[in-house]
Amino acid sequence: MGTLGFRLFGFPVRIHPGFWLVCAFLMLVLQGHSWSARVLLVIVLFMAVLLHEFGHAFAARACGQEPVIVIHVFGGVTSWLSLRPLTKLRAIGIALAGSLVGALFAGLVFGLLLKLPPAVLARGAGMTLREFLASLVWANGAWTVLNLLPILPFDGGQVLSLALGPRRQRLTAIISTLSGIGLGVLLGWKGMPVAAAVFIATGLVRLWETWRKPEPVSVISPEQARVVLSEGQRNLTEGDPARAQRLLLALEPLLADPAMLRELHEILAWAALAQQDPLSARRSLKALMPGPIDPLLQASLLEAEGDLERAVTCLRQAREHGDPRPQLGASLVRVLLGIGRYGEAANLTTELLADVPDDQARRVAAESDTGGRLLPAAQLYEALFQRSQLASDALLAADCYLRAGDAGAAQACLERGKAAGLSETDLAQDPRFAPLLRQSQ
């Protein structure tokens, strides 16, 4: 069973196969309800989780990010392309937005319960309208309360982590762990032993690991760390990403400086991508959040994961925000070709031609021609001819213009090509161009 994907309100939504297993389990354990009522209860749960994630997604979009929603076994998660730096206050706002939306929705449905006539609320098949609305209130309210608890990875735990900052992560872990154990005890007292055991056992393991883990202290001087980071970057640049990765993984536990750790994880992400290991790159990228992340790095990871549409979005927005790097434009051209948007790739290459080698530009023009985008291909060949003054570029431009139906532009290219060495005799013998030559005479 594969991952189901769709778009809603402009957000990509993906549902992990494990979610369907949870739904099947719930259908089996909801004894005392008809099968239609069980289906409705599963739909209610799905709505509560999805609505919560939409709260995060809309808040992230308002802060200039590009969110994606994933529904998985344990609920949902909203991640985003870090297109703009997030302040601590905005990051906390995004973390709280899901619970705020869930609470507002629960309140609106509760108000509806109070206002609707009893006769209307009693209607329904398998489940009355009153029961359906009450389950909506309960599901959204309970999911909101659970997410507000200061337990990682819930929203309350994320807010706690952001509020205390990266230098107090041990305190964050201890508060989260003790809160999880407390919730487990409460669930056990309320007659939910399985959920209680999960929270208590997880909390005890985390508490033990947190207690044993020493506070981060750099055991290497900044000067020594800088030498190792530079060496790792040099290895990556010179085509030895495996060596760069080994070097920086050995350095990581010796560092506590947040700025140097960010630099280290960025190099590690590039090294993982160079070795075609997007999973390791994704782990390194997560270590950089919620701070700003290089959009070229994000787009390269999305490209490696096969998410080309989001890679295009990431690169386009970076260019719109003034990122002038030629590598970013070249990456955008490559991804556009990968999803068959040949005309856009050719137009962009024409725009960036000063930074694109001739052979690469010709390949883009040829792919655009093969893909049926004749006019952008012709314009790119013409721009190449203006730079190279090679008669072959003028001939290719004229051919594309002619097949695109622009005989005037084709004729102009041929005239300029003759000045660069095109043989009029050869053109006169070519059935494509002979009529144009006769018209010019």
Side-chain angles (χ1 to χ4, degrees):
M1 186 183 298
T3 300
L4 173 65
F6 58 90
R7 297 185 74 89
L8 192 58
F9 303 118
F11 301 115
V13 180
R14 299 172 188 164
I15 303 179
H16 192 274
F19 176 77
W20 306 120
L21 296 177
V22 172
C23 291
F25 175 75
L26 289 175
M27 295 280 285
L28 293 174
V29 300
L30 288 172
Q31 302 296 328
H33 296 277
S34 66
W35 282 104
S36 59
R38 297 182 197 190
V39 170
L40 286 173
L41 288 171
V42 169
I43 291 173
V44 165
L45 178 62
F46 175 72
M47 288 174 60
V49 174
L50 190 59
L51 186 67
H52 182 95
E53 298 307 322
F54 272 126
H56 294 310
F58 276 106
R61 178 188 281 173
C63 293
Q65 312 304 310
E66 187 72 19
V68 172
I69 296 170
V70 177
I71 306 299
H72 53 73
V73 176
F74 300 107
V77 63
T78 299
S79 59
W80 55 83
L81 299 176
S82 186
L83 301 174
R84 297 179 186 174
L86 281 176
T87 64
K88 180 186 289 189
L89 189 59
R90 287 190 171 187
I92 289 174
I94 294 173
L96 291 174
S99 296
L100 176 62
V101 169
L104 287 174
F105 183 74
L108 288 173
V109 176
F110 184 72
L112 198 61
L113 268 172
L114 297 178
K115 291 291 184 181
L116 287 176
V120 174
L121 292 172
R123 296 173 186 171
M127 176 184 286
T128 65
L129 181 59
R130 180 190 300 277
E131 291 170 333
F132 180 72
L133 294 178
S135 64
L136 280 175
V137 173
W138 184 89
N140 284 276
W143 194 242
T144 294
V145 171
L146 183 64
N147 271 278
L148 286 175
L149 295 174
I151 303 171
L152 289 168
F154 296 136
D155 299 339
Q158 301 293 339
V159 170
L160 178 68
S161 178
L162 288 165
L164 294 179
R167 295 186 180 276
R168 298 186 180 88
Q169 290 306 294
R170 186 175 185 179
L171 177 59
T172 300
I174 291 172
I175 295 174
S176 170
T177 299
L178 293 177
S179 300
I181 293 173
L183 177 61
V185 172
L186 178 63
L187 291 173
W189 180 56
K190 290 294 185 179
M192 292 180 274
V194 175
V198 169
F199 276 99
I200 292 174
T202 303
L204 289 172
V205 170
R206 284 183 178 172
L207 185 61
W208 174 250
E209 291 176 347
T210 301
W211 192 259
R212 292 182 61 192
K213 185 178 179 181
E215 289 283 1
V217 177
S218 290
V219 295
I220 186 173
S221 70
E223 294 77 14
Q224 292 171 319
R226 174 55 53 198
V227 170
V228 178
L229 286 170
S230 299
E231 179 68 11
Q233 182 64 64
R234 185 182 66 80
N235 289 330
L236 178 62
T237 304
E238 293 179 355
D240 193 353
R243 178 174 170 77
Q245 191 175 52
R246 289 194 301 270
L247 193 65
L248 297 183
L249 286 174
L251 174 64
E252 184 180 8
L254 307 179
L255 279 179
D257 180 77
M260 284 191 169
L261 281 170
R262 282 189 59 82
E263 184 177 348
L264 179 144
H265 283 292
E266 185 166 312
I267 300 172
L268 278 176
W270 281 117
L273 287 176
Q275 297 174 88
Q276 300 182 344
D277 184 4
L279 185 61
S280 295
R282 174 65 66 185
R283 284 197 293 266
S284 294
L285 209 65
K286 285 182 178 178
L288 298 172
M289 297 180 72
I293 300 174
D294 181 1
L296 183 58
L297 174 57
Q298 291 187 88
S300 297
L301 176 55
L302 290 167
E303 184 181 359
E305 293 173 333
D307 196 346
L308 301 186
E309 289 289 351
R310 290 187 73 214
V312 167
T313 299
C314 181
L315 293 166
R316 280 199 181 284
Q317 293 201 12
R319 281 176 50 78
E320 290 169 4
H321 294 153
D323 193 326
R325 288 176 294 171
Q327 303 96 313
L328 193 141
S331 180
L332 180 54
V333 168
R334 183 179 63 254
V335 178
L336 287 170
L337 290 173
I339 56 178
R341 288 157 69 172
Y342 303 109
E344 292 179 54
N347 288 333
L348 180 59
T349 304
T350 303
E351 178 186 337
L352 302 172
L353 194 57
D355 298 311
V356 181
D358 287 359
D359 58 339
Q360 293 182 17
R362 289 190 185 94
R363 281 201 299 272
V364 174
E367 290 197 44
S368 181
D369 181 1
T370 304
R373 306 297 294 168
L374 297 174
L375 190 57
Q379 292 167 341
L380 180 50
Y381 277 129
E382 185 177 11
L384 269 168
F385 168 69
Q386 292 172 0
R387 182 169 72 181
S388 69
Q389 289 300 301
L390 291 176
S392 58
D393 288 332
L395 192 65
L396 289 167
D399 178 51
C400 288
Y401 273 128
L402 192 59
R403 284 184 288 128
D406 193 342
Q411 190 172 31
C413 285
L414 291 177
E415 291 299 326
R416 290 196 295 271
K418 285 192 289 185
L422 277 179
S423 168
E424 188 164 350
T425 302
D426 291 341
L427 291 174
Q429 295 174 353
D430 191 320
R432 296 173 299 172
F433 304 123
L436 291 179
L437 293 178
R438 287 196 294 270
Q439 289 177 15
S440 64
Q441 294 172 355

